[in-house]
Amino acid sequence: MSLEQSSMMKFLRAVRPKISPNRLALIEKAFEKADKSCDGKITYEDLKGIYSVQRHPEYLNGQATEKQLLNRFLKNFEESGVVDGVVTKEEFVDYYTGVSASIDEDGYFDLMMRTSWKL
């Protein structure tokens, strides 16, 4: 990540609204569900039984394996340009805090989290 991108990320984090306790509780609940090994981080191994790629077009046509798709999914949560295949709780909360900032209605955010993570 370039210095310019890093500065922009810091700026966006500084100006986004604080997340409500109810939304934070949902995010933490989703993290706990995804962290199958209960070690405070989410890896490919944790996601295998939770996040299905069986209907993903690239999986269906043989372009990508389950592992490739799950690792690509994990990259969404990585911060500071460091892609290590491990998503910490901090990274997970930061990602969903950013998502939360773009959703006005608490009910919609609640529905999105419960549906996405089968909470």
Side-chain angles (χ1 to χ4, degrees):
M1 180 178 293
S2 72
L3 182 58
E4 184 177 311
Q5 290 171 320
S6 179
S7 296
M8 179 60 83
M9 294 296 292
K10 287 178 185 176
F11 173 75
L12 291 173
R13 283 187 182 103
V15 298
R16 72 180 172 201
K18 187 172 165 112
I19 193 161
S20 74
N22 290 341
R23 289 185 183 203
L24 182 57
L26 278 169
I27 294 167
E28 289 174 339
K29 189 173 184 177
F31 182 85
E32 289 170 13
K33 181 174 183 179
D35 180 16
K36 293 286 227 187
S37 57
C38 299
D39 61 358
K41 52 192 170 198
I42 302 171
T43 64
Y44 157 75
E45 292 295 327
D46 290 316
L47 282 183
K48 272 197 318 192
I50 297 172
Y51 189 85
S52 175
V53 300
Q54 303 299 315
R55 295 185 181 166
H56 192 287
E58 289 180 32
Y59 181 81
L60 291 172
N61 70 19
Q63 283 183 293
T65 65
E66 177 187 41
K67 186 171 187 170
Q68 289 170 322
L69 292 168
L70 290 177
N71 281 325
R72 189 182 314 159
F73 177 71
L74 285 172
K75 286 180 188 179
N76 292 313
F77 300 94
E78 303 280 5
E79 57 182 39
S80 304
V82 177
V83 179
D84 59 6
V86 176
V87 177
T88 65
K89 186 173 183 179
E90 181 181 279
E91 289 172 325
F92 193 83
V93 169
D94 184 61
Y95 174 84
Y96 276 110
T97 299
V99 171
S100 174
S102 68
I103 299 174
D104 294 331
E105 298 293 323
D106 285 341
Y108 182 76
F109 184 82
D110 185 282
L111 177 66
M112 183 269 307
M113 289 299 292
R114 290 183 189 282
T115 303
S116 297
W117 292 100
K118 296 179 179 73
L119 303 176

